[in-house]
Amino acid sequence: MFKKILIANRGEIACRIIRTARRMGIATVAVYSEADAEALHVREADEAVLIGPPPSAESYLRTDRIVDACKKTGAEAVHPGYGFLSERAEFARALAEAGIAFIGPPPEAIAAMGDKIESKRLAQAAGVCTVPGDLDVIPDVERAVPIARKISYPVMIKASAGGGGKGMRIAHNEAELREGFSGAQHEAKASFGDDRVFLEKYIEEPRHIEIQVLGDAHGNVVHLGERECSIQRRHQKVIEEAPSPFIDAETRAAMGAQAVALARAVGYRSAGTVEFIVDRERNFYFLEMNTRLQVEHPVTELVTGLDLVELMIRIAAGETLPFAQPDVRQNGWAIEARIYAEDPTRNFLPSIGRLVRYCPPEGEGIRVDAGVFEGAEISLYYDPMIAKLIAYGKDRDAAIERLGDALDGFYISGVRQNVAFLGAIAASERFRAGNLSTDFIGEMFPHGFTPPAEPTEADQVLVAAAVLAELRMRASETAIDRLDREAEMPPELVVLLDGRPCPISVRPEGAAYRITGGSESCIAATDWRPGLPLLRLRLDDKLLTVQIERLPGRAFRLVHHGIVRRAQVLPPRAAALAALMPEKAAADSSRFVQSPMPGLLTAVIVAEGQEVKAGEPLVVVEAMKMENVLRAERDGKVAKLRAKPGDSLAVDQVILEYE
Ligand code: ADP
């Protein structure tokens, strides 16, 4: 076994690999860029080597510097994690030439699976079902038209070198094909320096289901069952689970057998993933093979009880797989949610800044894989993922319940994040019913992530939380005559939830309160103190968590199960007055397009007087070497441009004004 390994990555995956290596008694070397000098993976490794400036191309993607770091520290092997150099065959080759082991597959397997056209050819030859399509490179749109007609619409235009959802377009008819073709070509050229595109059938309302495979250097290959990753946004995974609620034993066995056949055909070694899309009739089609550890591998670890990183290390050291296919069992259910630094209420724009508060949840069946800590900086140089929250339960319902509770208890401030959005998905009936497809988010949130106007189940909890919070605030304001102050609260109250009045009555009952509203009544208690971000309450016999922040005007911002509301607790007369008062007109920001982050305005795509449709690109803001295209959030006419290319922008600076 290796004595020392180097982890050529950063963030949560570097920390996760270090954890297993430490348990195995292997020393670890971290590498880091200048932006990551204070990062968690640097602190957790036994040694760390600086490999360059913040941009990945000058640090985490520098094969030469990583090989040097191995030589300098005596690391015998490299784990690449995911992203960065993990799927570059040249990297694996360069390590081999330097006599360093690569904790991953052979370079030939990486190369064979790195190209979508080539890998589809190989898969077909290995007897794997592939999406109907045409495997010829299509040079121009005139050649594409007859091919699309032969495949029949809808079709998908795909970049052969593609990855990360880039260079993909759906076309439902010839007009859309003509429109999308050159866009896909350009995007492919810009992202991968390779403009080869091809066409395949677009499978409607598909589910994304993938098979984890594992092979050793002695010809043994097994699969560890499936993960379903259908909850996606712009073809990027958001929530993943194992097993899939859609797959029966027969389909699982058939998919597993094909995945193993493909792995064998390319001489696969290490952990890899064969991705399929599955249609409504459970027909499954090969998409691609990822020749590395996946972001979502923890759900497989939780249901199989295996440590994939440990197995990868053992396989790279030449050990034989310690089990065979019949020994692999799936037990219980695991669901992973990806916590991103982004603002779901503003079209998921990336957010940057310092994690002022970072309080991950803990508890039975909860695993948090993170590479951050309170005070850490989320920078725009790298992936905006803050952490992965993984919940395990004996069955799917139990796992969902734990996931929902854990999201309620995951408090992050300082950067915008998607915790409430994930909570809303976990709480939705459609998710609970397992009725998933890659269109889920688009269909469930057609107008983006906004609080529902109508009352929801979570509102009852929010009403109770608001009342308890108000009582505790009053109590803490005059500690001396605490009981008197509490008694001062009239028994009849109105809770305004986003301005909607919910009349209730409150009566002390022992150390708790009976809260009655309409025909509903419950007993509620909390030991929350003003200042704490989480209000844990007992509601009848349930223990629940509500996120709470103070707002100006003696109001609270409350979050529970994905419902975000402004709450105010008032005596009925004051509430009636507040309801009568004209709603203080909030500054109408929908008229303006503002910069979501400090940056440089590099391009203005629209002109004054131009009509735009929701979703159309308006301007491009560059922030820390990343281009962010700001799109119209609604239809409208551009009245005035308030900034020009080359201007540097402050956060929230107005760039253009609608009419
Ligand atoms: P990438 O390598 O860019 O991630 P993939 O081929 O893995 O691209 O596809 C990513 C996602 O795009 C899939 O999970 C699925 O949601 C969607 N997708 C890809 N191909 C098709 C297709 N033929 N029909 C429908 N959806 C597809």
Side-chain angles (χ1 to χ4, degrees), residues 116 156 158 163-165 200-203 208 232 275 288:
K116 289 198 199 295
M156 198 155 196
K158 271 194 175 177
E200 67 184 23
K201 179 83 186 160
Y202 177 68
I203 309 292
H208 174 117
Q232 304 182 346
E275 298 191 329
E288 64 168 350

Side-chain angles (χ1 to χ4, degrees), residues 227-462:
R227 293 184 285 260
E228 172 150 9
C229 320
S230 298
I231 307 291
Q232 304 182 346
R233 207 179 64 77
R234 300 226 172 104
H235 307 303
Q236 294 292 298
K237 297 163 188 166
V238 178
I239 293 184
E240 304 100 339
E241 59 187 291
S244 159
F246 190 58
I247 289 299
D248 48 41
E250 197 186 324
T251 315
R252 176 176 301 122
M255 291 174 81
Q258 291 198 4
V260 168
L262 179 62
R264 280 192 196 286
V266 291
Y268 204 79
R269 185 175 74 217
S270 195
T273 296
V274 181
E275 298 191 329
F276 294 93
I277 43 177
V278 183
D279 70 13
R280 275 167 278 189
E281 281 76 49
R282 288 198 181 77
N283 298 307
F284 57 89
Y285 309 97
F286 169 74
L287 270 184
E288 64 168 350
M289 179 167 186
N290 289 326
T291 53
R292 54 167 162 84
L293 191 65
Q294 303 268 100
V295 177
E296 60 274 22
H297 75 277
V299 294
T300 300
E301 296 190 323
L302 292 183
V303 297
T304 58
L306 299 168
D307 181 329
L308 283 170
V309 171
E310 175 180 349
L311 289 162
M312 289 176 84
I313 295 173
R314 292 195 180 283
I315 289 165
E319 291 185 16
T320 307
L321 264 182
F323 53 84
Q325 192 65 57
D327 307 321
V328 178
R329 292 268 183 311
Q330 289 182 326
N331 257 315
W333 215 282
I335 309 179
E336 173 181 282
R338 300 190 188 187
I339 319 283
Y340 284 115
E342 63 184 18
D343 187 350
T345 64
R346 289 175 82 175
N347 207 11
F348 299 92
L349 281 163
S351 178
I352 47 169
R354 198 167 283 284
L355 293 171
V356 177
R357 298 295 307 271
Y358 174 75
C359 316
E362 291 171 2
E364 199 189 331
I366 293 301
R367 165 171 166 182
V368 177
D369 282 15
V372 296
F373 48 87
E374 198 161 280
E377 191 86 39
I378 302 292
S379 94
L380 259 182
Y381 289 111
Y382 312 114
D383 190 77
M385 198 165 71
I386 302 173
K388 305 187 302 204
L389 169 62
I390 310 108
Y392 177 81
K394 64 180 191 321
D395 55 27
R396 190 163 187 271
D397 288 343
I400 293 176
E401 182 158 340
R402 278 199 181 138
L403 180 72
D405 287 346
L407 285 166
D408 285 339
F410 207 142
Y411 184 77
I412 299 170
S413 72
V415 298
R416 304 276 179 165
Q417 31 67 25
N418 64 341
V419 172
F421 174 68
L422 296 167
I425 295 177
S428 73
E429 251 164 60
R430 182 168 164 192
F431 182 75
R432 286 167 181 269
N435 178 10
L436 315 181
S437 94
T438 59
D439 302 326
F440 183 96
I441 289 178
E443 288 170 3
M444 293 287 290
F445 305 95
H447 309 295
F449 181 54
T450 46
E454 68 280 5
T456 69
E457 236 174 80
D459 286 344
Q460 268 189 347
V461 179
L462 296 183

